[in-house]
Amino acid sequence: MNGETEVARPTLYDRVGGEPALIAAADLFYSKVMSDDLIRPFFQGITVSAQARKLVGFMTWAFGGSGAYKGRNLDTAHARLVRDMGLTDVHFDAVKRHLQDTLGELDLPSEVIEEATGIVETTRAVVLGRSQSD
Ligand code: HEM
């Protein structure tokens, strides 16, 4: 013991503003993604509840990091989109930009926005089927 108290750094989730911020971000992000002609076709035929689940999964990655998400592997989740629908970097960049714009509109500090988009960027190779997630 050295007499100092260890204070854990608040998670990105906490620093963004917790659940209220996440809900606001999810709504804004959803409207951006679904009004993008480049991205909307990928969600055709997927039920609204499944879209919402996907969105929460996405936000979990962005705000909590990879360790927080316990759903399907990202490579499995996107394999059909890569194989049958030509999911590629252009689409990844667009989705990433929508997240960046969303967080910007919520007036979050640029440091937080950079951290969130940095986490999303770490998923690129796996989402696009270029590497194994585990
Ligand atoms: C940028 C990083 C991305 C992350 C972190 C991410 C996250 C996720 C997660 C966690 C799921 C699984 C949800 C579940 O099964 O419960 C999922 C599914 C899905 N993602 Fe992504 N995603 C990303 C990029 C993209 C992009 C670029 C597109 C399309 C333009 C996309 C479209 C979809 C669709 C359509 C599903 C549902 C697939 C199905 O149910 O067959 N995602 N995503």
Side-chain angles (χ1 to χ4, degrees):
M1 276 288 247
N2 60 12
E4 284 176 26
T5 309
E6 284 269 334
V7 179
R9 190 168 188 241
T11 63
L12 182 58
Y13 177 83
D14 292 328
R15 283 181 286 132
V16 198
E19 199 183 4
L22 197 73
I23 291 167
D27 283 352
L28 245 185
F29 181 62
Y30 185 80
S31 65
K32 286 184 192 302
V33 167
M34 294 313 260
S35 54
D36 184 339
D37 292 344
L38 189 67
I39 303 305
R40 198 177 39 247
F42 289 95
F43 290 87
Q44 237 153 39
I46 295 177
T47 62
V48 172
S49 63
Q51 285 169 6
R53 206 177 56 240
K54 182 241 138 54
L55 201 64
V56 171
F58 183 96
M59 288 293 179
T60 305
W61 273 91
F63 295 119
S66 54
Y69 176 65
K70 299 274 184 279
R72 283 190 294 170
N73 288 341
L74 289 183
D75 53 354
T76 311
H78 300 90
R80 181 183 62 85
L81 309 178
V82 172
R83 195 185 58 233
D84 299 342
M85 299 183 78
L87 182 71
T88 184
D89 288 289
V90 189
H91 310 105
F92 190 97
D93 289 341
V95 167
K96 186 177 150 184
R97 197 172 54 246
H98 289 314
L99 178 73
Q100 220 165 346
D101 291 348
T102 299
L103 302 181
E105 284 174 36
L106 295 174
D107 287 331
L108 291 168
S110 56
E111 166 223 312
V112 167
I113 299 176
E114 273 166 34
E115 192 171 336
T117 50
I119 291 169
V120 167
E121 183 57 44
T122 66
T123 69
R124 181 186 294 262
V126 175
V127 166
L128 298 179
R130 298 198 288 245
S131 88
Q132 297 298 310
S133 58
D134 56 15

